[in-house]
Amino acid sequence: MKVVCFGELMLRLAPEGRLRLLQEPKFQATFGGGEANVAVSLANYGEKAKFITKLPKNDIADAALRELKGLGVCVCGVVRGGDRMGIYYCEKGASMRPSKVIYDRAHSAISEAKEEDFNWSEIFEGVDWFHFTGITPALGDNVAAITKNALLEAKKRGITVSCDLNYRKKLWSKEKAGKVMGDLMQYVDVCIANEADAEDVFGIKGETSDVENGKLNAAEYESVAKQLVDRFGFKAVAITLRESISADDNNWGAMLYKDGKALFSKKYAIRIVDRVGGGDSFGGGLIYGLNHYDDPQMALEFAVAASALKHTIEGDYNRVSVAEVESLIHGNASGRVQR
Amino acid sequence: MKVVCFGELMLRLAPEGRLRLLQEPKFQATFGGGEANVAVSLANYGEKAKFITKLPKNDIADAALRELKGLGVCVCGVVRGGDRMGIYYCEKGASMRPSKVIYDRAHSAISEAKEEDFNWSEIFEGVDWFHFTGITPALGDNVAAITKNALLEAKKRGITVSCDLNYRKKLWSKEKAGKVMGDLMQYVDVCIANEADAEDVFGIKGETSDVENGKLNAAEYESVAKQLVDRFGFKAVAITLRESISADDNNWGAMLYKDGKALFSKKYAIRIVDRVGGGDSFGGGLIYGLNHYDDPQMALEFAVAASALKHTIEGDYNRVSVAEVESLIHGNASGRVQR
Amino acid sequence: MKVVCFGELMLRLAPEGRLRLLQEPKFQATFGGGEANVAVSLANYGEKAKFITKLPKNDIADAALRELKGLGVCVCGVVRGGDRMGIYYCEKGASMRPSKVIYDRAHSAISEAKEEDFNWSEIFEGVDWFHFTGITPALGDNVAAITKNALLEAKKRGITVSCDLNYRKKLWSKEKAGKVMGDLMQYVDVCIANEADAEDVFGIKGETSDVENGKLNAAEYESVAKQLVDRFGFKAVAITLRESISADDNNWGAMLYKDGKALFSKKYAIRIVDRVGGGDSFGGGLIYGLNHYDDPQMALEFAVAASALKHTIEGDYNRVSVAEVESLIHGNASGRVQR
Amino acid sequence: MKVVCFGELMLRLAPEGRLRLLQEPKFQATFGGGEANVAVSLANYGEKAKFITKLPKNDIADAALRELKGLGVCVCGVVRGGDRMGIYYCEKGASMRPSKVIYDRAHSAISEAKEEDFNWSEIFEGVDWFHFTGITPALGDNVAAITKNALLEAKKRGITVSCDLNYRKKLWSKEKAGKVMGDLMQYVDVCIANEADAEDVFGIKGETSDVENGKLNAAEYESVAKQLVDRFGFKAVAITLRESISADDNNWGAMLYKDGKALFSKKYAIRIVDRVGGGDSFGGGLIYGLNHYDDPQMALEFAVAASALKHTIEGDYNRVSVAEVESLIHGNASGRVQR
Amino acid sequence: MKVVCFGELMLRLAPEGRLRLLQEPKFQATFGGGEANVAVSLANYGEKAKFITKLPKNDIADAALRELKGLGVCVCGVVRGGDRMGIYYCEKGASMRPSKVIYDRAHSAISEAKEEDFNWSEIFEGVDWFHFTGITPALGDNVAAITKNALLEAKKRGITVSCDLNYRKKLWSKEKAGKVMGDLMQYVDVCIANEADAEDVFGIKGETSDVENGKLNAAEYESVAKQLVDRFGFKAVAITLRESISADDNNWGAMLYKDGKALFSKKYAIRIVDRVGGGDSFGGGLIYGLNHYDDPQMALEFAVAASALKHTIEGDYNRVSVAEVESLIHGNASGRVQR
Amino acid sequence: MKVVCFGELMLRLAPEGRLRLLQEPKFQATFGGGEANVAVSLANYGEKAKFITKLPKNDIADAALRELKGLGVCVCGVVRGGDRMGIYYCEKGASMRPSKVIYDRAHSAISEAKEEDFNWSEIFEGVDWFHFTGITPALGDNVAAITKNALLEAKKRGITVSCDLNYRKKLWSKEKAGKVMGDLMQYVDVCIANEADAEDVFGIKGETSDVENGKLNAAEYESVAKQLVDRFGFKAVAITLRESISADDNNWGAMLYKDGKALFSKKYAIRIVDRVGGGDSFGGGLIYGLNHYDDPQMALEFAVAASALKHTIEGDYNRVSVAEVESLIHGNASGRVQR
């Protein structure tokens, strides 16, 4: 399967371990971004993943592309130009101290890209699946227009489209998000969301009000999914269910709503190594799962197990193989040494 | 509010992560000390904190002062002279392996300071609060005398005085501690102690005997506090309550005894990053809390939340803001990513 | 007591923290191996431990010996020659992601050693105890023959022999292991095994079938030990009991079967720092315990406490003292700071 | 003496040692900027240095201020607001491979500051000297206007003004620079330049044409200085003279033109540790020197020795004391161990 | 141009900076090998470079391929299988202390590869140039046979062939090398050698006898090249000329003998960062140069400048661009900061 | 040969690379001391070296002994007790910035040792050579007395004694040094000094006055040696000759005065990695050389080559072998890669 992911790729600057930002004069310097993270997951599973973005011509962006290429993601369609690459600073929380993300992404090359930068007809040659997240159109009206161009071309070609709602309050208001995303949803086949996205973007909610404290309520999630399907005609809706015990311990599961039925995954109690990119790894796993298993429950379990493993991996990218995910699905969660 | 803290500042040498001392030929090199830790907490909360000590004229002490200044602590009153700066080696425990502290503090500049080194009248100009710990008079009879000079001047000026009993058995015997501290307590308004201090220094105990195993008994703590108030006339007594499950997991809370009433804080289950300085961060939080909240319960909750957060911060100093502490007080303990 | 341990010593290459192999271009480079790990434990406890192996004449092996010498192990009997030193790559797991060990040990100097390389009569001069593991004879028929030579000489001299079964499926088949080890067991006095070894090597099992999920059944372990004693005439059998909750959390205990009685140790819930070498540290603790305590229960408790502590230490070697182990046996498991 | 320096402060991200950018996934993260570097130099020499800029309210800028405060620079006048802090990536060259600086400074808080952000009358209270560089007005017309406001106020108060021309071709054209700087020069008393600045900004040159190859010609520099004085009426002009043998080895000296006389300094052959900030450290040294020595030759020697030492210090800031500079002036250049 | 390089790729383990091997328990872990180094150079210059080898199926080899892919080298033809990847330990010298390389490459997958592992007809599809070094046939008779198969197919297809003699005394004797290489040379068009190779492999020498002391004699090098051309009919012979002043300082140049003329390059005085891979970077530069410049002198200058730059880059791979090499050719060797 | 070295062993804390002290919050933590450095050199050359000192019973001292044992030095005679281990902070200079050493060694265990701590009769059992430096008696009158006891016993047993004058102005005045050392010299056979020691301690000088600038004058050194022999009756005097070009570059050679003749060594131009311990490595080399070569010129060349190599090694200890030193003596100074 050939998948295109479109979005922003950022430099990620993080202190070592559990240090606060700049407590020592060092940063770990890696890369990540919602859609790139999905592309890496898919490449790791052996899919042909192509990542589309715009990046400046400089050594920092070159390094970002070097890493993606090394991980097997095709970057031949990346447009080069613009002034800068977005950055985010990432401080890992611990216990009751929350993780902290500071964005410095304004004026990035992708956020200032133009519609004519992307020839979607060429990009989608031979492509089966297109994935984007709600972050991409949030980057600006121009990027929303580019996204719409992509969706129109994708639909013309019968490409399946998935979207992770991924609401970011620092990028746009709920109102703006609702309006722009509401328009784009008509082209989407598979909608992915976390506990809060549907309400933030579309005002769709169950009665669960206490997301901060991580209480989950299965019935309400089903209700949210049904409302999403009813309003936008999605073929499937997946919602990740995170219970945050602390910055170190989370419970993690998901629901897949498909053909009028809500399937719930196994739930994992996770000791967290790196939580950022957890949702994206679910998206990557779901796209793989829906295309490789006849049984939607298995697709869901693959996505959840893959993203559970991501929480044990440093960095945005989910560096695990299909074999590792399947081993976990089949119950090997004891962490024993594999010699 | 302007606060003066007086005590020893040491170089802290620690291996990385959970390595044993010198398992690799490196040390993290930071600084800390009971009273400096309190001063940093207060500066972080926006208070005018001044730290008083004596340090030699060398590059190591210069670096210590550079860090304090950077953190907003006034070091203009630090006396320079003497031969060396105290050092402590700090090995982090893990699971059932205890953390280990080795002191190399004898003959430090402050431990050999003279009464005439400190002009308390000048130091206390415009000051509202004075804080010291039981470690300071334990450094030697000369330092106990200096401390008494400070207390006399503080009382003359109507400055509120807080003292953290902080008994250190390597510095003096219980008998000596009881005698010296017993004399100094007459000048103290707010007394802070951990589970064991009151008994170690003053022989005051409830019936709780199993501190090592971390069992707590609320009633007994109240009894200890009442005895302290009865004997020394403190306006308030605060006792931190630590249950040590392991070197990685502690439960943490505190009691504030004030106006004849024992208030108990919320209790936190903490996954520990760095435990050293935990008690001091409670002291810093309490001084702030007592001065900024009318409700003593809120003062206590601030102190406990602040010190719970400290356990998630590397190094002696509690690098958190009022906003972060208040967010935790208001129930945001899930460790979710703050974007 | 003078102990000889015989086996392979390898270079251990591991990424920092919880990184995947070569996620960053660095390795921690330490050394380890089943029998060397036991020798280090014993040297730490004050015993005269001598380690026998064959290593090439190069800087890597020199460094390995430098470390052993530093830790107090006598390496004067190590044979120098051959082409290379075995290597293992070690990736630490996290949560449900298992730890991973990749061996590159074929063609190591010890695996290609010859019988005439070792003069056992000389090596065993004044020796009281001889220890090896099932890994050593698995290295090749030549090494099995060398091991048998050692055992014959040991028995001739009345030296007590202990063997940790330590089955490694990458080195030999169960059939081959059963045959070779079955022959060597006649010289063994104390047999050590983990949950799976007895079945893997000798087909001896209770009804416990779910080792991967870490369920334990005390009665069955007793049955396994009894069968081992019945078949091979061991004076004692010790079986370690590991419940793997995850790569971060294990429960750990052991059984000692001696004089027809099964003794069960206290069970420890361990937050893991480094799990590799855990079994070896049990062996080291048991050899010490059986020689220093009259009460076999104490010997067992020493071995289990020692190996519980090993799980909190980075690297293969168990860097703890008798005092630290005994403190844990006596209930000090709270991880409180030792000042 | 009280000095105000005004300009941009940036986060500096650099790989370790001589690695290329992102050859390993780490950055050293320090701070620097032409005028801040001067302020730090002066604070190290015991002067009252105040740094003025605009920085966003975030943890990155907080860390930058923490370091400046620690180094003794007053940052109480720093305006907080705006969106981001400028960044520069810095790759150290080696031998014939040049060092490389990549700027990501557009849209920084200071570059988008407004005239009303700065109350120069308040800032200049009690100030003796004002320093800026040609980088500051190059940040935008708004910042040029702010700079002019500062200069007008400075002149009104009789404050001495120094300016380092510091031409940056990525920020503006030579034409624009010439026009804007030409206007500002009327307020400047002491002009500092390197070999190329005078020509780049004002088209003033001698006949030296081969700056890239580092050939120097004393007579021509005198001619350049004279022309600068003639055109702008400076009280003094200082020009640094760098011969670049390679990225590792430079010769370094300077000329001071004052009262119609050209003074030439001792020339240093430097093995370079970190070259960035070398010119700024000359500026800092010169301001100190002109205020502390009657003999202008001594002022010049101080500036050159200080900046020679800077080339041996990691990071933008010149971490040396007056005593260290004077020791070098007095001929102690042998690098012998000071015990 | 499409180039195939064939040879061994090894894991390179090196201590930090100038530490001796395992002086600290860490290794930098990168990859390299004569032919892979050439492939990386060519990919950096924009050529289509394909690297052929055999590597085991494990995480270490995966990481090696990840890096090559990231650097733009096609690894789609790499055969997976066999037991291990070769390793070399690399200790950087300093001053008069020589660098030290310890190989652990026996039994590597490529050294045990079979002729049927490689389908050269497929590999050479559309290829213009084939490069190998004398290390490859030295790995064993099987690898020599594979190399000969490659050469036969290359010649059948009219592919240009280059060979770097690269004599390694630890892999084979001079006699064996002379015999095997003598046979392979009939297929070679461009022969590359260092000062000592021609004599070591073919007994061809001038009168220069003092290679260790780095004295060079241009006339003799020409004589060696001429003899090589006469004996083997090469179209071109290139000899690198290294004068080793110390482990830190080398002079570096080369001669290209073509069409009966000996061209000598500019000579560079290099302060060394990492010397390993210097010769390979010359080969990569020469292949590029011969294909992109009409003037053979320019081809030679490109090769020498490229390899001079390599000595300033950490690791085996030459991470420089055509623009950087050409800038150096055009005289920009001053190492000035490029802003 | 069996050698005993007696003196202080210190913890050495140093920043990475060329950073100033505590510019980053890390220290490299190694160990060193004049006499221990000599012992390590000798152990590396295969001699039986025993180091005598007094160290406290703590983890820091344990680590120090672990390293010495690993390096082959016998530490069985080290007395344990006292309060602390001496520390020195070591900042590497660069170019014209001098290296800097800050001592924190007062009150160390050895400086407070008592005469009865050392049973010299037992220590000297079977010993051939005794080495100490002028630092040891400088630690205090008690240590001077212990040293004299050692010397008396050494002479009684006919043990050869060497002393490196090593004057340390922070430990004692020239007057005190002259008096104490003058008395001890009667027991010394081989006296080692640097350019300044003879004058500092005994007021013996040639006319060379410009040691700081590193100018050497062979004739004067001979005169100094002759005066030393005349006054104290030494069998041999060795003087190291250091020309400090800068902190990076030194010229290094030595003179041996024996049997009335002054022999001068080859002179090395050294690019320095770590200069501390350079003199001690000369002492170690000289003791080895005088015992292994009949020709005193060879003994001298060995000592100089060994110490030249030391300047390329990180840390106090000279980690080189006899083979490496001899290779350098025989002219292999080109730093070529040894494969």
Side-chain angles (χ1 to χ4, degrees), chain C residues 6-292:
Chain C
F6 170 56
E8 179 164 21
L9 182 62
M10 289 176 287
L11 173 63
R12 165 184 162 151
L13 299 174
E16 283 192 13
R18 304 288 167 149
L19 290 169
R20 304 225 73 176
L21 279 168
L22 288 165
Q23 193 173 340
E24 294 191 0
K26 310 250 185 216
F27 281 124
Q28 313 282 115
T30 56
F31 296 96
E35 299 83 358
N37 300 350
V38 168
V40 169
S41 277
L42 290 164
N44 281 337
Y45 304 146
E47 303 300 319
K48 283 188 185 120
K50 192 194 227 171
F51 177 63
I52 301 295
T53 191
K54 185 172 183 180
L55 284 173
K57 284 182 199 157
N58 67 25
D59 294 359
I60 311 306
D62 286 352
L65 295 178
R66 213 154 58 218
E67 189 176 40
L68 281 180
K69 272 192 288 182
L71 290 163
V73 173
C74 169
V75 298
C76 54
V78 170
V79 179
R80 301 302 293 270
D83 293 331
R84 65 184 303 263
M85 188 171 181
I87 294 174
Y88 81 96
Y89 300 93
C90 177
E91 177 187 280
K92 277 190 198 171
S95 209
M96 66 282 295
R97 175 164 62 84
S99 291
K100 196 170 178 179
V101 168
I102 298 177
Y103 290 105
D104 176 17
R105 68 198 301 179
H107 309 289
S108 69
I110 180 66
S111 76
E112 299 188 342
K114 295 177 186 154
E115 297 187 45
E116 58 267 34
D117 282 335
F118 300 92
N119 181 338
W120 290 106
S121 166
E122 211 172 82
I123 291 166
F124 282 144
E125 188 66 43
V127 166
D128 305 290
W129 192 288
F130 175 58
H131 177 76
F132 73 109
T133 80
I135 297 169
T136 306
L139 296 175
D141 289 343
N142 52 331
V143 194
I146 296 168
T147 309
K148 186 154 182 181
N149 291 345
L151 291 169
L152 288 165
E153 178 71 22
K155 283 297 102 175
K156 202 165 72 185
R157 289 169 168 272
I159 293 171
T160 306
V161 174
S162 56
C163 173
D164 186 333
L165 295 183
N166 243 343
Y167 176 67
R168 290 286 182 271
K169 67 171 183 279
K170 293 240 176 92
L171 290 177
W172 54 3
S173 67
K174 294 183 181 179
E175 292 66 37
K176 182 78 186 286
K179 203 174 141 225
V180 174
M181 293 294 282
D183 176 45
L184 301 179
M185 286 306 102
Q186 61 186 299
Y187 311 104
V188 171
D189 301 289
V190 177
C191 175
I192 303 167
N194 70 16
E195 321 87 49
D197 287 335
E199 180 172 355
D200 285 341
V201 181
F202 299 123
I204 293 174
K205 56 177 165 178
E207 283 124 47
T208 295
S209 55
D210 202 13
V211 165
E212 273 302 317
N213 286 342
K215 303 272 167 49
L216 294 179
N217 181 327
E220 297 175 39
Y221 283 103
E222 181 169 353
S223 138
V224 167
K226 194 170 177 313
Q227 291 178 58
L228 284 166
V229 167
D230 289 350
R231 192 183 307 177
F232 299 110
F234 299 133
K235 292 190 190 120
V237 170
I239 303 184
T240 55
L241 315 175
R242 182 186 298 277
E243 290 178 298
S244 268
I245 315 301
S246 73
D248 293 303
D249 288 284
N250 279 194
N251 293 326
W252 178 253
M255 183 201 68
L256 176 64
Y257 187 86
K258 193 158 181 288
D259 305 324
K261 274 195 297 198
L263 307 170
F264 284 84
S265 77
K266 187 172 162 188
K267 194 161 88 177
Y268 294 93
I270 309 175
R271 183 75 37 85
I272 293 176
V273 171
D274 189 344
R275 189 205 155 310
V276 178
D280 305 322
S281 64
F282 176 82
L286 188 69
I287 295 171
Y288 179 85
L290 290 172
N291 283 281
H292 285 264

Side-chain angles (χ1 to χ4, degrees), chain E residues 283-337:
Chain E
L286 187 70
I287 295 171
Y288 179 85
L290 290 172
N291 282 281
H292 285 264
Y293 301 101
D294 289 335
D295 178 0
Q297 182 72 37
M298 268 303 288
L300 176 65
E301 296 295 352
F302 188 92
V304 170
S307 50
L309 284 170
K310 164 60 197 76
H311 289 77
T312 74
I313 307 283
E314 294 277 2
D316 270 53
Y317 299 144
N318 191 17
R319 297 164 181 268
V320 298
S321 66
V322 168
E324 289 175 317
V325 178
E326 293 193 335
S327 169
L328 178 54
I329 294 175
H330 297 130
N332 185 358
S334 68
R336 287 191 169 250
V337 182

Side-chain angles (χ1 to χ4, degrees), chain D residues 32 48 104 135 141 148 168 219 227 231 246 248 285 291 334:
Chain D
K48 285 190 184 119
D104 176 17
I135 298 168
D141 289 342
K148 186 154 183 182
R168 289 286 182 271
Q227 292 177 58
R231 192 182 309 174
S246 73
D248 292 303
N291 283 280
S334 69

Side-chain angles (χ1 to χ4, degrees), chain D residues 339, chain F residues 34 37-38 131 164 166 192-194 240 242 252 275-286 303 307 310-311:
Chain D
R339 293 182 197 261
Chain F
N37 299 349
V38 168
H131 178 76
D164 185 335
N166 244 344
I192 303 168
N194 68 16
T240 55
R242 182 187 299 276
W252 178 253
R275 191 205 154 311
V276 177
D280 305 321
S281 64
F282 176 82
L286 188 69
S307 51
K310 164 60 197 77
H311 289 78

Side-chain angles (χ1 to χ4, degrees), chain B residues 113-164:
Chain B
K114 295 175 184 155
E115 296 187 47
E116 58 267 35
D117 283 333
F118 301 92
N119 181 337
W120 289 107
S121 168
E122 210 173 84
I123 290 166
F124 282 143
E125 189 66 42
V127 164
D128 306 290
W129 194 288
F130 175 59
H131 178 76
F132 74 108
T133 80
I135 298 169
T136 306
L139 297 174
D141 289 342
N142 52 333
V143 195
I146 296 167
T147 308
K148 186 156 184 181
N149 291 345
L151 290 169
L152 287 165
E153 178 71 21
K155 283 298 102 176
K156 200 166 71 184
R157 289 170 168 270
I159 292 171
T160 307
V161 173
S162 56
C163 173
D164 185 336

